[in-house]
């Protein structure tokens, strides 16, 4: 990545703890705002909301709030027009929806689908539907995925204006489910896929939940940790296995046979992010300190090398490509967040 030009190409923020979860805000008035979650191996964890001051070129922490257990994922409401309340969701022991204002962040609702016991199976991940922001899906170690419906009402004094209910819950895998993601196919509302400890990628349709489609199974039955849909072409998705050094690209039209393998990393891959504006660019990040950008245009011919490489100062545990600002990628490693202009 070039480090020349009039503007800085890299901005760095150091948090007071190891950063794990991270997500870009998509609101038009909050261009360089990210949420960061701590990874501290105890009950008390934190979430910080940070923003880049474009005059001083420094990241400022705007808000810090407490969170029970580390956040497995956090995500701003996918509201590019800024018409919904400014909401942030986090997963951990439960799915929580937070309302963000300039002065404070407060809990709007806690979504728990295990009403009849105090026990909760931790949530590994979730996804917020971009076409219908009243839909969220969570994945859990109890083998289920749950689709939640949100209601966002009008502000009445201090009454919480967001509530949620279970639309459907299904046993998605034979073992723990590690990730869930809505597909843009078929209108973008009803299709989603999940990956889990049984080593399979499965696809579901909310209109026909009686059956699912297995898109891929890891040949060694290694658990699959992440899945990520191509933002421009809903036929393609990427996944990766636990402790695996490669990212597998799948085409739903050709189940069970990867169309590409991206295998230049020298240590296990931790993150995948497709470009928001291009169907053929994807970024992978790994414990080898590298963030690599690939051009997969020549599939199904083998893709030998990435087109861009960035080396961080530590093992990269997350990567996010800013959906509303396609020339910016964020990575986190140790206690640092960096945003990179690509």
């Amino acid at each position: 990545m070039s480090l020349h030009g009039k503007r800085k190409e890299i901005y760095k923020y150091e948090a007071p703890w190891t950063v794990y979860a991270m997500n870009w805000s998509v609101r038009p008035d909050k261009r360089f705002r990210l949420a960061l979650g701590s990874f501290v191996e105890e009950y008390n964890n934190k979430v910080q909301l940070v923003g880049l001051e474009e005059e001083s070129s420094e990241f400022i922490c705007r808000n810090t709030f407490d969170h029970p257990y580390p956040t497995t994922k956090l995500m701003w409401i996918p509201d590019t027009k800024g018409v919904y309340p400014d909401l942030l969701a986090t997963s951990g022991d439960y799915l929580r929806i937070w309302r963000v204002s300039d002065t404070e962040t407060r809990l709007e609702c806690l979504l728990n689908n295990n009403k009849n016991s105090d026990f909760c199976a931790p949530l590994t991940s979730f996804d917020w539907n971009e076409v219908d922001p009243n839909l969220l899906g969570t994945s859990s170690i109890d083998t289920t995925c749950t689709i939640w419906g949100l209601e966002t009402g009008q502000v009445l004094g201090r009454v919480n204006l967001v509530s949620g209910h279970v639309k459907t819950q299904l046993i998605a895998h034979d073992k723990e489910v590690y990730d869930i993601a809505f597909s843009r196919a078929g209108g973008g509302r009803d299709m989603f896929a999940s990956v889990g400890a049984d080593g399979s990628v499965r696809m579901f349709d909310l209109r026909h939940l009686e059956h699912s489609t297995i898109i891929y199974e890891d040949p060694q039955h290694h658990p699959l940790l992440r899945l990520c849909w191509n933002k421009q072409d809903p036929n393609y998705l990427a996944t990766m296995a636990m402790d695996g050094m490669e990212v597998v690209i799948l085409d739903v039209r050709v189940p069970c046979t990867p169309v590409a393998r991206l295998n230049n990393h020298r240590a296990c891959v931790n993150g995948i992010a497709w470009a928001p504006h291009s169907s053929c660019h994807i970024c992978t990040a790994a414990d080898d300190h590298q963030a690599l950008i690939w051009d997969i245009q020549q599939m199904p011919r083998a893709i030998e090398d990435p087109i861009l490489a960035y080396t961080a100062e530590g093992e990269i545990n997350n990567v996010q490509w800013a959906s509303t600002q396609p020339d910016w990628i964020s990575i986190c490693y140790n206690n640092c967040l960096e945003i990179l202009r690509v």
Side-chain angles (χ1 to χ4, degrees), residues 40 58 96 133 168 216-217 245 249-250 303:
V40 184
E58 298 291 327
R96 291 176 173 82
T168 187
Y216 175 71
E217 288 184 288
M245 291 193 276
I249 309 288
L250 306 170
I303 291 136

Side-chain angles (χ1 to χ4, degrees), residues 8-22:
K8 272 174 66 174
E9 304 292 320
I10 299 176
Y11 296 92
K12 185 173 179 179
Y13 174 75
E14 292 188 36
W17 21 252
T18 301
V19 180
Y20 175 67
M22 162 188 68

Side-chain angles (χ1 to χ4, degrees), residues 13-35:
Y13 174 75
E14 292 188 36
W17 21 252
T18 301
V19 180
Y20 175 67
M22 162 188 68
N23 188 244
W24 290 85
S25 171
V26 300
R27 282 179 82 88
D29 55 337
K30 308 280 187 197
R31 281 197 350 127
F32 287 94
R33 179 176 68 164
L34 295 100

Side-chain angles (χ1 to χ4, degrees), residues 45-157:
N45 273 260
K46 303 279 187 193
V47 173
Q48 280 193 346
L49 309 183
V50 303
L52 186 69
E53 291 287 339
E54 295 193 50
E55 293 74 46
S56 64
S57 299
E58 298 291 327
F59 268 110
I60 308 292
C61 176
R62 302 265 162 78
N63 202 320
T64 302
F65 59 94
D66 294 322
H67 194 280
Y69 304 106
T71 52
T72 52
K73 185 171 179 177
L74 37 77
M75 194 173 171
W76 296 91
I77 184 168
D79 173 23
T80 51
K81 298 189 171 67
V83 294
Y84 286 85
D86 198 5
L87 301 176
L88 177 73
T90 60
S91 54
D93 51 349
Y94 299 109
L95 180 66
R96 291 176 173 82
I97 311 288
W98 308 82
R99 182 178 174 81
V100 178
S101 72
D102 291 339
T103 52
E104 60 162 6
T105 301
R106 73 185 190 100
L107 183 63
E108 278 289 329
C109 65
L110 181 150
L111 301 175
N112 167 24
N113 60 354
N114 203 344
K115 292 284 183 276
N116 49 7
S117 90
D118 296 334
F119 170 78
C120 62
L123 300 177
T124 50
S125 187
F126 73 96
D127 194 25
W128 206 324
N129 191 295
E130 290 182 10
V131 173
D132 181 357
N134 293 312
L135 281 182
L136 294 96
T138 54
S139 56
S140 170
I141 63 166
D142 69 4
T143 76
T144 67
C145 290
T146 304
I147 306 297
W148 296 88
L150 280 192
E151 291 81 41
T152 52
Q154 299 304 309
V155 184
L156 298 169

